[in-house]
Amino acid sequence: MHLAPILETQLLWHDEAAAQATADRLAAALLPSPDAIIELHGPLGAGKTTFVRLLLRALGVEGRIKSPSYAVMESYGLAGGGSASHFDFYRFGDPREWEDAGFRDVFAAPGLKLCEWPEKAAGQLPSADLQLFIELMPDDSRRVRVVGAAHLVEALSA
């Protein structure tokens, strides 16, 4: 099995426009048929859900984009075909809840998987293609450490 090289970079989002620019670059790197697992790490209020919304909009999702905090998963059809699934594992008390919820089949199928609070499903999730570690700074900007497949990290570093 050949593993893609892993890279790491740092980004700074001074405002939502900077996060939108990152979402636009990531969407362009994922198209035409997004098929990746992206983990979003960070404390409450860091901007994980906001970034997911920006990315889904950049991928052509129209209509309401809901936080999956209570439903755990929300699915969206993508403009160019395919699907995106947005997960929020915050309420998981045990990683085995992932298996009990039947998510193995969702992760085995093609499509984009966006995972908030992936540490709550530790040991259950397949390896991520990209991880965003979002840190809220005192001035309300966000410092983002990006780790993942070289082609995705390079797209975000541009």
Side-chain angles (χ1 to χ4, degrees):
M1 179 172 157
H2 180 263
L3 295 175
I6 302 297
L7 292 182
E8 181 174 334
T9 193
Q10 295 272 340
L11 303 173
L12 185 61
W13 297 339
H14 291 288
D15 53 23
E16 192 169 313
Q20 180 67 66
T22 300
D24 291 346
R25 287 193 302 274
L26 181 54
L30 291 168
L31 291 171
S33 31
D35 185 20
I37 297 172
I38 299 174
E39 293 181 353
L40 296 104
H41 299 264
L44 287 170
K48 298 179 297 295
T49 301
T50 297
F51 184 76
V52 167
R53 282 188 183 117
L54 295 172
L55 178 59
L56 290 173
R57 289 274 180 247
L59 290 168
V61 173
E62 297 178 1
R64 186 161 182 245
I65 297 174
K66 303 186 294 185
S67 172
S69 293
Y70 294 99
V72 182
M73 181 182 91
E74 295 288 341
S75 294
Y76 302 93
L78 298 177
S83 65
S85 298
H86 179 197
F87 299 88
D88 183 334
F89 299 121
Y90 181 74
R91 288 183 167 43
F92 275 23
D94 184 320
R96 289 175 297 200
E97 290 180 61
W98 183 87
E99 182 75 38
D100 294 345
F103 292 144
R104 184 172 304 285
D105 292 339
V106 176
F107 277 82
L112 182 62
K113 289 87 173 175
L114 304 160
C115 306
E116 295 185 45
W117 300 97
E119 60 275 9
K120 299 278 191 161
Q124 302 296 315
L125 296 176
S127 296
D129 297 289
L130 190 69
Q131 296 176 302
L132 302 178
F133 297 88
I134 305 171
E135 181 183 359
L136 178 58
M137 305 307 290
D139 65 357
D140 284 338
S141 66
R142 271 59 174 179
R143 182 169 43 206
V144 184
R145 184 167 63 96
V146 181
V147 180
H151 73 285
L152 296 175
V153 174
E154 288 168 351
L156 297 183
S157 303

